[in-house]
Amino acid sequence: MLNLPIRPALRRHLTAGLAVAAVIAAAAPRAAHAEPPRFQADVDSNQVLVGDSFIYEVTLGVGQDQVSDYRPPDFKGLRVLSASRAPNQSTQMQFGGAGMFVEVSYSWRYQLAAQQKGNITIGPARVRVNGHELHTSPVTVAVGGASANTPPPLPAPAGNTNATPAAPPTDAPPPEAADGGSFIRLVTDKQKAYVGEAIAATWFLYMNQPHDKYDTQVEPTMEGFWTEDVTLPNRRGGMVLNEELVQGRRYQVGPAMKKVLFPLHAGRLTVTPMEAQLSRVDFFGTAMRSQHVRSAPTIIEVLPLPKEGQPTNFDAANVGTFTLARRVDRTQVAVGDAVTLTVDIGGHGNIRKVALPPSPKLDGWKTYDPRVQINVDPGNGVEGTKTAEILLLPERPGTFTIPGQTLDFFDPASGRYEQAITTPIAVTVTGTAIAATGAGGASGPTAAAGAGIENVIATEIRPIHNRTELRRELGATFLRTRGFLGVLLAPPLLFGLVVFGFGLRDRLTEDSGATRRRRSRKKVQAHFVAAEAHRRRRELAAFHIEIDRVIRETMSHRLGVPVAGLRMDEVRAHLAALGLAEADADRVVALLEECDRARFAPGSVPSDDAALGATLDRAVEAVGLLEGASRGGAA
């Protein structure tokens, strides 16, 4: 070994170089490594109905390995709606203290539909990784009864033994893809349906190259259908895209629009094409290239509802599966208190158009028009509830039974007419008829409160002191003043005023026809002023209460008997006794019934300013009719 002399400067450079080399060696990443291969299969739902679609996805996670010979499972008993024959691939790299981790993920996605009821087991998928075969675990899916969207077996046309299938085979390429460009494809869950049956329709956009902007130019027309919009899933405000292989070409596929169609009449109904514009834009939003796409027209055969077993006056909108339930807010009320009967219809079908059962009719009760509220699931357009609130007002006491209600509907899955039935509801009404309160004048305890009060003169009266003579100095001074003249004239003036006041009081308190008319007109004017104030403030209930009072008080004045609390048939009899014409009596009764509806069912009475003004004019006219009426037809 040779020991050569090294200069100090060179020694310092060598030491620094060795230190840098050591740092680089320590910071250099270790050899990349990967976890063992991960190969698994999953479904988005393990419980489905016959005809419902679900997603089956196979995922493979490997490192820098060689993947080959992928074989999908055997989908026996299932219908393949769509399949991504080429896998979606993504690479993930991670740096850490243990070195660099690399994983490549492959995924195959299938949209399947069950065709029969029972437990269906999807067998394993297979793939080779570095020459070794891997397989997934079997997946079991429980398939229940047919869903509302599953078409029933429809009869084939006469003379034709080969019925048209509900949808084209999945392997058959769509005609829109003949030229290899982008296109729109309408996919329906059935091509034959009954009148009123739900048809799920989805317009899929197939793009053969990336695009940034999608604009609908021509909406499809669906004449002969009632349509319901369905909310589509989105990813960060955009369309959810999947890869699909069509005729050997790769497409990015995503749903552009989805609706539920309900046929309104039988026959061959056509859905016209949908047209859109696809664009690739730059950073500033300027279109670099555009492509016009459209769908093909689709014909759906609609069959009429079977006549066998069809109920009388059956509504064609009641097609699907429905439930009927109802309840009351209370089962014991007093006379004059309202009872709310709530009727709920739920299930699958055209919820917005399903016909409500007729409102129950009860003797001795008033029934108002129902207030309807509809709630449809935006995710499918065929599920929801329809709620009707019916106001019932008892007019006499007793125990009553609200009869049961029925809802007839046609179930397309079974091909039969069904019926939903509710049970009767017992309601107890307590109390008596509304007591008359004397609208034309005070009565009852209030009027009698001061009946026993007497006018009493106080006993402490100062005695009169008599003088024998008038003091000269006082008399001489007072006689020369103006006060003496006032004292002299005051007694006769005061006496005259007292006499006039007593006479005026007697005239005002005299119970004559003119006096009663004056009092009635003052009350009528006060009520109309109050009603006008309520109208300006949009106080609907208070406005109609004033109108009801002015009508009834005018009737009480003309008849001489109280009419508050009377039923409408009794009011009509009093109007006839008053000599009012039948047409005029109908107008007065209609106005009183409108006031009742405004108090107990505000939603059934218009509340705009013009309607309230018209009601006020009708009230003025009714008061004029009552004032001008002659008792018994005699003036």
Side-chain angles (χ1 to χ4, degrees):
M1 183 176 184
L2 298 176
N3 293 324
L4 299 177
I6 300 176
R7 290 178 295 179
L10 182 58
R11 183 182 292 112
R12 287 195 300 269
H13 287 297
L14 291 176
T15 304
L18 291 174
V20 172
V23 172
I24 294 175
R30 300 181 184 179
H33 70 283
E35 298 293 335
R38 175 174 48 84
F39 192 41
Q40 62 185 24
D42 297 292
V43 292
D44 62 348
S45 178
N46 293 96
Q47 294 182 350
V48 297
L49 300 176
V50 173
D52 284 353
S53 63
F54 62 96
I55 301 299
Y56 174 84
E57 188 170 12
V58 180
T59 305
L60 172 64
V62 297
Q64 297 178 346
D65 301 304
Q66 184 179 2
V67 179
S68 62
D69 195 17
Y70 167 76
R71 286 169 291 170
D74 182 12
F75 297 113
K76 186 177 181 181
L78 298 171
R79 178 181 169 190
V80 181
L81 301 178
S82 64
S84 55
R85 300 181 182 179
N88 291 326
Q89 181 178 345
S90 63
T91 304
Q92 179 183 5
M93 293 188 298
Q94 181 178 355
F95 296 90
M100 183 175 65
F101 172 78
V102 179
E103 183 183 49
V104 181
S105 296
Y106 302 89
S107 63
W108 294 263
R109 187 182 178 91
Y110 304 88
Q111 185 177 8
L112 310 174
Q115 294 181 315
Q116 58 187 3
K117 186 178 179 181
N119 293 332
I120 297 180
T121 300
I122 303 175
R126 292 175 170 80
V127 70
R128 287 186 174 273
V129 178
N130 294 333
H132 298 285
E133 184 177 270
L134 303 179
H135 59 83
T136 61
S137 300
V139 178
T140 302
V141 178
V143 183
S147 67
N149 295 330
T150 304
L154 303 178
N160 183 8
T161 58
N162 297 323
T164 304
T170 55
D171 294 337
E176 300 89 344
D179 58 355
S182 301
F183 60 92
I184 300 175
R185 182 186 185 189
L186 171 59
V187 178
T188 59
D189 63 343
K190 54 181 73 72
Q191 291 180 328
K192 281 187 178 181
Y194 288 109
V195 172
E197 184 180 358
I199 303 172
T202 307
W203 285 259
F204 288 96
L205 176 62
Y206 285 72
M207 297 182 293
N208 62 349
Q209 53 184 327
H211 292 87
D212 302 318
K213 191 176 180 181
Y214 166 82
D215 291 323
T216 301
Q217 292 187 333
V218 178
E219 292 277 355
T221 59
M222 290 148 280
E223 187 175 354
F225 292 95
W226 172 276
T227 63
E228 192 75 38
D229 293 333
V230 179
T231 303
L232 290 172
N234 61 76
R235 181 178 299 154
R236 296 180 181 178
M239 188 182 300
V240 179
L241 298 177
N242 294 305
E243 189 176 273
E244 187 174 332
L245 196 65
V246 180
Q247 290 184 321
R249 302 184 183 91
R250 296 183 184 275
Y251 287 88
Q252 292 293 320
V253 184
M257 184 173 65
K258 186 173 183 180
K259 292 179 180 289
V260 179
L261 313 180
F262 298 95
L264 300 178
H265 58 82
R268 293 172 62 85
L269 304 182
T270 302
V271 180
T272 62
M274 175 183 182
E275 299 183 21
Q277 188 79 14
L278 299 178
S279 303
R280 182 70 173 177
V281 299
D282 57 14
F283 177 79
F284 300 98
T286 304
M288 297 184 297
R289 65 170 183 267
S290 298
Q291 190 176 8
H292 185 80
V293 293
R294 72 191 306 269
S295 63
T298 301
I299 298 178
I300 298 177
E301 184 177 353
V302 182
L303 299 181
L305 296 176
K307 295 297 183 181
E308 182 180 357
Q310 185 178 106
T312 306
N313 299 325
F314 180 76
D315 197 312
N318 294 9
V319 176
T321 56
F322 301 100
T323 59
L324 182 65
R326 63 178 188 165
R327 62 189 182 277
V328 293
D329 57 344
R330 45 188 170 171
T331 58
Q332 185 170 356
V333 295
V335 172
D337 289 343
V339 176
T340 301
L341 174 65
T342 304
V343 180
D344 294 320
I345 299 178
H348 293 69
N350 195 348
I351 298 295
R352 297 189 190 276
K353 300 292 290 183
V354 62
L356 291 168
S359 299
K361 300 296 182 182
L362 293 174
D363 186 21
W365 289 63
K366 277 186 178 180
T367 303
Y368 294 94
D369 293 335
R371 183 174 63 181
V372 181
Q373 183 177 359
I374 300 173
N375 183 19
V376 179
D377 185 1
N380 53 38
V382 295
E383 294 182 355
T385 57
K386 188 173 188 177
T387 302
E389 293 182 353
I390 306 172
L391 197 69
L392 306 176
L393 188 67
E395 296 181 330
R396 56 186 175 86
T399 301
F400 301 88
T401 300
I402 302 176
Q405 296 173 275
T406 60
L407 175 66
D408 297 315
F409 61 91
F410 177 73
D411 185 1
S414 61
R416 297 192 304 269
Y417 291 93
E418 306 289 346
Q419 190 177 67
I421 305 175
T422 61
T423 57
I425 301 175
V427 179
T428 303
V429 182
T430 60
T432 57
I434 301 175
T437 58
S443 64
T446 303
I453 298 178
E454 298 179 358
N455 292 326
V456 180
I457 301 177
T459 57
E460 290 87 3
I461 299 178
R462 303 179 69 183
I464 300 176
H465 297 280
N466 296 324
R467 293 180 181 272
T468 57
E469 60 181 4
L470 185 62
R471 289 183 294 180
R472 185 177 299 275
E473 62 277 9
L474 177 61
T477 305
F478 184 70
L479 289 175
R480 295 185 180 91
T481 62
R482 296 181 179 180
F484 175 74
L485 181 61
V487 171
L488 186 64
L489 298 177
L493 292 176
L494 290 175
F495 180 76
L497 289 175
V498 170
V499 172
F500 177 79
F502 279 118
L504 182 61
R505 185 192 65 179
D506 293 339
R507 291 186 59 188
L508 293 177
T509 57
E510 182 182 1
D511 191 16
S512 63
T515 304
R516 288 195 299 270
R517 282 194 296 272
R518 282 195 300 270
R519 289 200 300 264
S520 177
R521 287 169 182 170
K522 287 183 180 180
K523 291 183 179 181
V524 166
Q525 184 178 6
H527 286 308
F528 279 134
V529 170
E532 178 64 22
H534 293 312
R535 181 180 72 88
R536 288 196 300 267
R537 294 193 296 267
R538 293 292 193 277
E539 297 172 351
L540 183 63
F543 171 83
H544 285 88
I545 287 174
E546 294 295 338
I547 298 299
D548 183 86
R549 286 178 179 172
V550 73
I551 298 298
R552 292 185 182 272
E553 287 183 3
T554 304
M555 290 180 60
S556 299
H557 159 67
R558 296 290 290 121
L559 294 171
V561 295
V563 297
L566 297 182
R567 298 193 303 272
M568 290 303 167
D569 53 345
E570 297 174 343
V571 171
R572 194 181 296 275
H574 281 297
L575 292 175
L578 191 60
L580 206 64
E582 183 177 357
D584 295 336
D586 291 339
R587 294 160 67 182
V588 174
V589 171
L591 185 58
L592 292 176
E593 289 181 342
E594 180 180 341
C595 294
D596 285 347
R597 288 197 303 272
R599 293 169 59 191
F600 300 105
S604 62
V605 177
S607 60
D608 57 284
D609 188 77
L612 296 181
T615 302
L616 191 61
D617 294 339
R618 289 165 53 201
V620 173
E621 183 181 1
V623 170
L625 292 174
L626 294 174
E627 288 288 351
S630 302
R631 299 264 333 237

